[in-house]
Amino acid sequence: MDSSVSQQWLLLLLISTAVIVFARADLPGTWELLVENAGVSSMHTAVTRFNTVVLLERTNIGPSRKMLRKGHCRSDPNDAVLKQDCYAHSVLFDPQTNQIRPLMINTDTWCSSGQFLPDGSLLQTGGDLDGFKKIRKFDPCELNGSCDWVELADVELSEGRWYSTNQILPDGSVIIVGGRAANTVEYYPPRTGAVSLNFLADVEDTQMDNLYPYVHLLPNGHLFIFANNKAVSYDHVVDKIVREYPQLDGGPRNYPSAGSSAMLALDGDYSTAVIVVCGGAQYGAFIERSTDTPAHGSCGRIVATSPDPVWEMEDMPFGRIMGDMVMLSTGDVLIINGAQAGTQGFEQASNPCLYPLLYRPDQPVGLRFMTLNPGTVPRMYHSTANLLPDGRVLIAGSNPHYSYKFNAEFPTELRLEAFSPEYLGPDRGNLRPVIEGVPETVRYGERFDVLVSVSLPVVGIVEVNLGNAPFATHSFSQGQRLVKLAVAPSVPDGDGRYRITCTAPPNGMVAPPGYYMAFAVNQGVPSVARWIHLGS
């Protein structure tokens, strides 16, 4: 190749690179590194009503990168790595100050489950080894408080739970669904022990794709339970399957095939619930331990409350496994983290999917997905994503190895990042409302006022939306929910303030009792949330 041709090719390469960089920089959303070293690689993450975040990993992998307080070591003669473990495997994080405090947890929480109770405490169930039947609680506090994990001594699971799913129910109790070799459900507080759910046994195959089933509480009080490629409606009052849904095409979706699922925002008369299931691995990739089998990008969407439900299919711009679906305060869904090949499991995936997607439910098929600004940190197996009260999304974890490994192709990840959707862009500041007043406690069906201020005059309706704090793990946010309240047009209240009269959800089937982040949303731009307690 002569020099003139070489120069032309080099110029073309430089132009192409510039275009790619410009296109990426021009995509919506921004990234922010919050903490270089969180001390632990979080596989379970939950946001508390004190605006702190609980990060939790497994306990039996040796030293973390955060020491416990002096004199607070864990003694376990059966631990294969450390008999005397003085390292934290859970921490409390404050995303406003980026400060971290170590927490003490005794039993193994590997691939466990969780859910917030009506009083705001975090229930945490199961795990591996000595954590198999354990029930734990964390009663949250501010970062400088003294709250810590408590292992419940007077109660345990009736059946060991590993890779199970928790969902809070209308009466404030919690159902615990499935788990490895546990084709049953049980409840906290306990009822009569484990109850068989043969549906989970029926869908189990050699890949175990019934693990971490997707569980959503429908507004009629029944549970939508999805495992592998099938779904049922389950009446938890009488412990009976009352409906079978059509099979979802595209292969298995649950662990280890690693799709994700979300129930879209409830609004209107709250009679309609729409479930979305996206992504997953090709069947056989896990059995063959294939790290380079391309993931698929198909999504199924179904009206679970319809008398004649069918799956509506569409494709994401990328094939993806281990993507986290985060319900934003606006009702859009952020899909973030994961990989484009392989399956869930230790060192079983490749080709990180760095591009987040915005799923816009109100758009027609073919226009629902928007590609967002890519990150730079691969977030593989054991990554999490959680909506923060300020509208950012906290990104944590990624430890696709049995223990910490920092010299691997995809190293153990201790960094915490925040992704800011486009609604937090600098051009949206004048539209962003500020909640000046909201009740701390609201009863079902109650009318109440929210006082907001906005820099520019309000045009149209200011929404008030309630989002709970789910327990995020293994590509599924357990209990995740967004409820759009019925609101009257905002009324000027002087000095740029507006009074919005809202009506609380009618019952616990629409919104189970507990703490919710209340967001005011003005023309697609949310406020910083204020926590309210909803109940009878």
Side-chain angles (χ1 to χ4, degrees):
M1 184 181 292
D2 61 37
S3 60
S4 62
V5 174
S6 298
Q7 290 172 358
Q8 291 174 5
W9 274 107
L10 179 59
L11 179 60
L12 180 61
L13 177 62
L14 290 173
I15 293 173
S16 300
T17 302
V19 169
I20 292 172
V21 171
F22 174 78
R24 289 183 175 183
D26 198 43
L27 291 174
T30 57
W31 290 85
E32 177 186 4
L33 177 63
L34 301 181
V35 173
E36 187 72 33
N37 178 9
V40 302
S41 184
S42 186
M43 71 170 71
H44 314 300
T45 310
V47 179
T48 83
R49 69 186 190 277
F50 290 94
N51 299 330
T52 54
V53 184
V54 180
L55 307 176
L56 184 62
E57 64 174 15
R58 55 190 293 196
T59 60
N60 60 351
I61 55 174
S64 68
R65 295 301 181 268
K66 188 74 172 178
M67 297 291 295
L68 289 166
R69 290 177 295 156
K70 185 176 181 180
H72 288 75
C73 298
R74 180 178 65 93
S75 297
D76 184 0
N78 296 316
D79 193 311
V81 183
L82 286 176
K83 312 297 183 187
Q84 186 81 356
D85 188 355
C86 299
Y87 294 89
H89 299 287
S90 180
V91 300
L92 192 63
F93 169 62
D94 184 339
Q96 295 302 312
T97 65
N98 293 335
Q99 298 299 304
I100 292 172
R101 176 167 69 83
L103 299 175
M104 175 75 173
I105 193 155
N106 278 308
T107 55
D108 189 29
T109 54
W110 181 17
C111 300
S112 52
S113 54
Q115 193 80 163
F116 281 102
L117 297 174
D119 66 358
S121 60
L122 178 60
L123 182 76
Q124 219 278 327
T125 55
D128 192 23
L129 301 175
D130 61 354
F132 198 38
K133 287 191 172 184
K134 286 293 184 180
I135 301 177
R136 316 164 190 87
K137 274 189 179 181
F138 180 77
D139 193 5
C141 62
E142 295 179 349
L143 189 73
N144 59 3
S146 59
C147 53
D148 213 333
W149 286 102
V150 175
E151 307 260 349
L152 303 188
D154 58 340
V155 64
E156 67 175 12
L157 296 170
S158 60
E159 187 168 358
R161 302 284 170 181
W162 196 24
Y163 301 88
S164 64
T165 300
N166 292 6
Q167 169 65 55
I168 188 170
L169 298 174
D171 64 357
S173 64
V174 171
I175 188 171
I176 307 161
V177 181
R180 191 166 186 174
N183 298 318
T184 60
V185 303
E186 62 180 287
Y187 299 87
Y188 179 87
R191 292 187 185 176
T192 57
V195 178
S196 294
L197 183 56
N198 291 330
F199 162 71
L200 293 176
D202 292 342
V203 300
E204 185 173 12
D205 56 33
T206 50
Q207 289 198 155
M208 307 173 294
D209 280 301
N210 67 351
L211 302 184
Y212 278 126
Y214 305 144
V215 181
H216 302 285
L217 175 65
L218 302 178
N220 61 11
H222 294 162
L223 296 168
F224 181 93
I225 302 178
F226 184 100
N228 197 306
N229 59 2
K230 299 178 181 178
V232 297
S233 180
Y234 187 75
D235 186 338
H236 59 86
V237 176
V238 296
D239 284 312
K240 182 180 179 180
I241 292 175
V242 295
R243 185 181 203 178
E244 294 183 1
Y245 292 95
Q247 180 175 305
L248 175 60
D249 293 336
R253 306 284 182 153
N254 297 79
Y255 182 96
S257 289
S260 189
S261 178
M263 182 171 72
L264 301 182
L266 299 175
D267 60 4
D269 63 1
Y270 305 122
S271 63
T272 301
V274 180
I275 309 295
V276 180
V277 178
C278 289
Q282 302 292 338
Y283 179 79
F286 181 77
I287 297 173
E288 297 168 1
R289 298 293 191 265
S290 172
T291 62
D292 56 2
T293 300
H296 65 77
S298 68
C299 289
R301 171 169 163 161
I302 193 169
V303 181
T305 48
S306 169
D308 186 24
V310 294
W311 289 100
E312 178 187 64
M313 301 302 296
E314 56 190 316
D315 288 320
M316 296 186 288
F318 305 94
R320 190 187 299 256
I321 57 170
M322 300 184 293
D324 288 278
M325 298 182 75
V326 180
M327 180 63 67
L328 301 179
S329 55
T330 58
D332 292 338
V333 181
L334 180 71
I335 306 175
I336 199 166
N337 297 337
Q340 298 180 68
T343 65
Q344 212 161 21
F346 290 137
E347 302 179 23
Q348 286 291 98
S350 65
N351 192 7
C353 195
L354 300 175
Y355 284 89
L357 297 175
L358 189 67
Y359 179 78
R360 299 169 295 180
D362 296 335
Q363 296 297 314
V365 174
L367 297 176
R368 289 177 179 151
F369 290 103
M370 176 189 291
T371 301
L372 305 179
N373 187 28
T376 58
V377 179
R379 297 288 180 172
M380 309 292 276
Y381 186 42
H382 288 151
S383 299
T384 61
N386 296 73
L387 179 67
L388 295 173
D390 62 12
R392 296 179 297 171
V393 176
L394 178 69
I395 309 298
S398 187
N399 188 21
H401 319 289
Y402 180 82
S403 58
Y404 282 12
K405 186 182 287 188
F406 296 103
N407 58 354
E409 179 182 6
F410 304 115
T412 300
E413 190 54 66
L414 302 179
R415 284 175 288 185
L416 300 180
E417 296 178 286
F419 178 77
S420 293
E422 187 179 20
Y423 57 53
L424 294 180
D427 59 332
R428 305 294 182 91
N430 288 332
L431 296 175
R432 193 172 199 192
V434 175
I435 296 180
E436 304 283 358
V438 64
E440 294 183 358
T441 301
V442 175
R443 296 182 181 275
Y444 290 124
E446 179 182 0
R447 289 170 63 87
F448 64 97
D449 289 343
V450 176
L451 189 66
V452 303
S453 61
V454 186
S455 297
L456 295 178
V458 166
V459 177
I461 297 292
V462 176
E463 298 179 354
V464 176
N465 301 334
L466 303 185
N468 71 345
F471 181 86
T473 187
H474 289 76
S475 309
F476 182 63
S477 289
Q478 300 183 12
Q480 181 170 236
R481 200 172 203 82
L482 184 74
V483 180
K484 294 190 172 187
L485 301 185
V487 298
S490 53
V491 177
D493 202 56
D495 296 327
R497 292 191 175 96
Y498 296 84
R499 188 170 299 276
I500 307 166
T501 299
C502 312
T503 303
N507 52 53
M509 296 186 292
V510 174
Y515 285 88
Y516 287 79
M517 293 179 280
F519 293 93
V521 181
N522 176 37
Q523 300 181 55
V525 180
S527 67
V528 173
R530 297 275 293 271
W531 290 91
I532 68 170
H533 188 267
L534 177 64
S536 300

